[in-house]
């Protein structure tokens, strides 16, 4: 079809790939507009002098990528990409990325498990019972009903020490961290010790809030306090319940050392309790805050238990700091949405929140077991950490593997995984993957790991892949 101006080189092979690439370029350049009908595969094949199978394959590839849509009876058309702003190459590139058949990326819980019915019932109850005045600007530190429910919940489940006035409702751990750092950095940037490696999601926000990150290594007992002592930091951020990403639980000895350090330097410990609800083999390990409420700020959220999109969380801080943070919200955004806060309070008070957690623990335990079993079978040389808790496993690949190449080769097989190198700051370490198991049902996990194992075989010692071409 000459008006499409598809140029292919019949001598160089990979014809379907060439046709797909040419069509992609035409769509991106706007030569083929959204809704435009493509020629029947037979006709285009004739024009290009190829077999029909080549064109069918190219069309199928572009349908999978979202560039084309194919409907019985109405042929193949260019997808309506108006959602992507003109020139929005990032959006188009993401459409071109290989399809993710097995998603083992971390950070997001099973969103299909959101208790829609219970949430709806809670909102209905709020709408029935709340007086009109309740819908005005709430307390910037959180509506009293939710603060009371959360305080009781944290005392009961995390053994936290929470007195009135210490708990502030925030928009997730992320906002809580920004607010705490902002409060601590009022006189200028503060040196903040962080676990190395730690969550890439917090890298930029910590620095934007006024922290200068100082990496401190993590070993099989958690953060190495001896190394922490060598930094000028007077604040440290840790994930004691389940270190992110290595999965280590901070040992009792290190807990004591960390608090002794905080007392010596007159410092603060920021306890990111991001996934503490999920402990499978025994009761949750109590929070660090309970041991020293005057030097620890506890931060948590419903991002793993309900949904990150709610942007609802809490922090528990010594009263003077909590008051500074409450004021910071009063002078910035006037607090979190009140209807969601009342609904969460209602969900906790009714027992539905606890029920949700029990169900999730059962679901995630089964997925964790399936993943650990599949790793033992398909990747027997890997060392798996972090099994007793959380919604991800830390998997050290056998020495000699190229972590980035494994991630790339897995993606080519439709398996999305994350490596650990991007989470490291100063410390090196063996090639490793963090595998999130929250979103993949048990029956699909074995196949995902079989494919991942194939990717490691292709990229293992002595099979390093060439650098990607320009
Ligand atoms: C270790 C860790 N801390 C904090 C966060 C941010 O959580 P939130 O959604 O509560 O802001 C994440 C998000 O994935 C995380 O992995």
């Amino acid at each position: 079809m000459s008006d499409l101006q598809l140029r292919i080189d019949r001598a160089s092979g990979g014809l379907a790939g060439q046709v797909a690439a040419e069509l992609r370029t035409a769509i991106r350049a706007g030569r083929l507009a959204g809704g435009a009908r493509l020629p029947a595969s037979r006709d285009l094949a004739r024009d290009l002098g190829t077999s029909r199978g080549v064109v069918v394959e190219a069309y199928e590839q572009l349908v999978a990528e979202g560039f084309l849509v194919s409907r019985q009876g109405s042929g193949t058309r260019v997808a309506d990409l108006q959602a992507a702003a003109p020139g929005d190459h990032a959006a188009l590139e993401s459409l071109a990325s290989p399809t993710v058949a097995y998603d083992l990326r971390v950070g997001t819980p099973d969103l299909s498990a959101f208790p829609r019915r219970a949430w709806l019932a809670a909102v209905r109850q709020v709408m029935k019972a709340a007086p009109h005045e309740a819908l005005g600007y709430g307390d910037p530190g959180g509506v009293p009903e939710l603060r009371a429910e959360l305080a009781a919940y944290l005392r009961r489940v995390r053994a936290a020490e929470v007195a009135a006035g210490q708990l502030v409702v925030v928009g997730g751990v992320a906002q809580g961290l920004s607010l705490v750092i902002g409060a601590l950095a009022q006189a200028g940037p503060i040196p903040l010790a962080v676990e190395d490696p730690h969550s890439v999601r917090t890298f930029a926000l910590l620095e934007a809030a006024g922290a200068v990150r100082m990496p401190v290594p993590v070993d099989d007992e958690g953060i190495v306090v001896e190394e922490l002592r060598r930094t000028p930091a007077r604040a440290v951020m840790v994930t004691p319940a389940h270190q992110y990403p290595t999965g280590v639980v901070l040992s009792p000895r290190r807990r004591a050392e960390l608090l002794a350090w905080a007392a010596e330097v007159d410092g603060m410990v920021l306890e990111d309790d991001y996934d503490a609800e999920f402990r499978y083999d025994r009761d949750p390990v109590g929070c660090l805050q309970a041991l020293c409420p005057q030097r620890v700020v506890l931060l948590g959220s419903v991002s793993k238990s309900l949904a990150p999109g709610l942007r609802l969380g809490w922090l528990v801080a010594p009263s003077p700091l909590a008051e500074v943070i409450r004021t910071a919200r009063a002078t910035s955004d006037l607090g979190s949405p009140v209807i969601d806060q009342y609904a969460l309070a209602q969900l906790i008070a009714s027992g539905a929140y606890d029920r949700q957690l029990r169900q999730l623990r059962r679901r995630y335990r089964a997925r964790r077991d399936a993943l650990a079993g599949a790793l033992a079978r398909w990747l027997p040389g890997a060392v798996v950490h972090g099994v007793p808790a959380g919604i991800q496993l830390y998997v050290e690949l056998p020495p000699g593997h190229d972590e980035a190449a494994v991630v790339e080769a897995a993606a080519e097989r439709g398996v999305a995984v994350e490596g650990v190198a991007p989470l490291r700051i100063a410390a090196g370490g063996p090639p490793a993957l963090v595998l999130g198991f929250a979103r993949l049902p048990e029956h699909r996990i074995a196949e995902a790991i079989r494919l991942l194992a194939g990717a490691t075989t292709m990229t293992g010692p002595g099979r390093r892949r060439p650098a990607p071409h320009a």
Side-chain angles (χ1 to χ4, degrees), residues 106-108 171-175 177 199 201-202 239 244 272 274 300-304 308 311-313:
V106 265
T108 305
V173 170
Q175 191 192 33
L177 286 169
S199 167
R201 274 217 174 96
T202 59
T239 43
Y244 188 86
D272 177 355
Y274 70 104
S301 76
V302 298
S303 292
K304 305 287 187 279
R311 305 314 299 137
L312 265 183

Side-chain angles (χ1 to χ4, degrees), residues 180-410:
V180 179
I181 305 285
L184 297 177
Q186 276 176 344
I190 54 151
L192 173 76
V194 292
E195 295 166 322
D196 188 8
H198 77 104
S199 167
V200 78
R201 274 217 174 96
T202 59
F203 280 22
L205 81 87
L206 292 175
E207 278 167 16
V212 179
R213 288 181 307 143
M214 320 231 133
V216 176
V218 170
D219 66 13
D220 57 6
E221 286 193 67
I223 190 164
V224 181
V225 180
E226 216 177 293
E227 296 286 338
L228 171 61
R229 287 182 195 286
R230 297 204 178 101
T231 72
R234 285 182 53 205
V236 61
M237 184 180 90
V238 284
T239 43
H242 191 231
Q243 203 274 330
Y244 188 86
T246 64
V248 174
V249 179
L250 190 66
S251 73
R253 182 168 71 114
R254 288 281 168 80
R255 281 169 195 249
E257 284 176 16
L258 191 60
L259 296 176
W261 166 85
E264 279 159 33
V265 302
D266 190 19
M268 290 302 293
V269 178
L270 315 187
E271 179 175 19
D272 177 355
D273 213 27
Y274 70 104
D275 71 355
E277 297 85 358
F278 303 115
R279 176 129 206 133
Y280 308 108
D281 302 335
R282 56 187 167 100
D283 290 339
V285 179
C287 64
L288 197 61
Q289 188 269 355
L291 300 176
C292 189
Q294 66 280 18
R295 296 216 172 272
V296 181
V297 180
L298 175 69
L299 301 116
S301 76
V302 298
S303 292
K304 305 287 187 279
S305 54
L306 294 174
L310 275 173
R311 305 314 299 137
L312 265 183
W314 51 86
L315 63 82
V316 179
S319 301
L321 182 56
E323 195 43 42
V324 171
I325 290 167
R326 193 173 152 270
T327 307
R329 286 211 81 181
T331 54
S332 56
D333 64 354
L334 303 179
S336 295
V338 292
I339 295 175
D340 287 350
Q341 291 187 64
Y342 286 123
L344 179 57
Q346 170 66 24
L347 205 71
I348 299 172
S350 70
Y353 189 68
D354 278 13
R355 274 198 297 284
Q356 170 71 1
L357 285 175
R358 279 197 296 277
Q359 273 174 21
L360 283 180
R361 261 182 230 121
R362 270 201 300 279
R363 179 180 292 217
Y364 291 155
R365 179 201 290 265
R367 291 179 186 182
R368 177 209 59 168
D369 290 348
L371 180 56
L375 287 166
R377 173 165 183 206
W378 295 105
L379 275 172
V383 183
V384 181
H385 301 269
V387 179
I391 51 174
Q392 76 270 342
L393 294 182
Y394 181 77
V395 180
E396 266 178 42
L397 297 168
H401 279 283
D402 177 338
E403 181 187 300
V406 171
V407 172
E408 195 188 319

